[in-house]
Amino acid sequence: MQAWPKPETECSPHPADQHVGRQIAMVRVQSDASQAQLARSVGISFQQLQKYENGRNRVSASMLYEIATSLGVPVSRFFEGLPGNETTRVVLPLPVDQRIEFIASAEGRRLIEGLMQLPPRVRARVAAVIAALGEELATLDAETNTKASDEPTSAARQTGC
């Protein structure tokens, strides 16, 4: 039996509440719904939805049901990946899930908000710089991996292979 570590203070959100909140945010982003749209469809304010997504407020069972219905997913979707809720089926996260998780994170939202404040032309240039950096890092990574695989292993060196 696995137990969650106790929150640092009584006011700290429980890790399960944080997990469910992140899952709500991920499914909402995957569904291409804004916080305002989802909040409106379930009858709450977008601020309340933000609190759910950040884990600051717990989501009641009935509200979780309403959110799941509105997004067209089973309620169990919000508990996927929760420790102690594993199934025998292995589900590997897709790269798309990692991107959506980043976009739904506080850091991702801050980045997007900052980018949206830039004029479109500047935003396009920033995106080009980021893409170029990513390509450069991928090239350096590939070169490092190639050099490492070209070097003989210690066993090969000992046998003279």
Side-chain angles (χ1 to χ4, degrees), residues 14-136:
H14 192 280
D17 296 324
Q18 292 175 316
H19 177 86
V20 168
R22 282 192 303 270
Q23 294 301 311
I24 291 171
M26 279 180 43
V27 173
R28 178 183 57 77
V29 170
Q30 287 173 332
S31 300
D32 202 28
S34 70
Q35 285 181 328
Q37 290 168 327
L38 178 57
R40 210 174 15 258
S41 76
V42 297
I44 60 174
S45 68
F46 82 91
Q47 292 94 339
Q48 181 61 49
L49 181 63
Q50 278 181 328
K51 290 177 183 179
Y52 289 155
E53 289 184 355
N54 293 326
R56 287 193 303 260
N57 284 8
R58 289 186 175 145
V59 185
S60 69
S62 58
M63 182 52 62
L64 197 56
Y65 174 80
E66 293 297 324
I67 291 170
T69 301
S70 180
L71 293 172
V73 298
V75 173
S76 61
R77 169 60 182 87
F78 302 119
F79 296 95
E80 289 178 4
L82 190 64
N85 191 41
E86 295 86 10
T87 60
T88 56
R89 166 180 83 131
V90 176
V91 179
L92 299 174
L94 300 173
V96 172
D97 289 342
Q98 292 170 347
R99 288 180 282 202
I100 290 171
E101 191 170 307
F102 173 75
I103 291 168
S105 72
E107 180 184 14
R109 288 193 302 269
R110 280 194 309 273
L111 177 63
I112 290 170
E113 288 168 7
L115 287 171
M116 293 307 297
Q117 292 176 3
L118 298 173
R121 194 168 174 189
V122 174
R123 193 168 48 233
R125 289 180 176 168
V126 169
V129 168
I130 292 170
L133 283 170
E135 289 173 14
E136 184 66 26

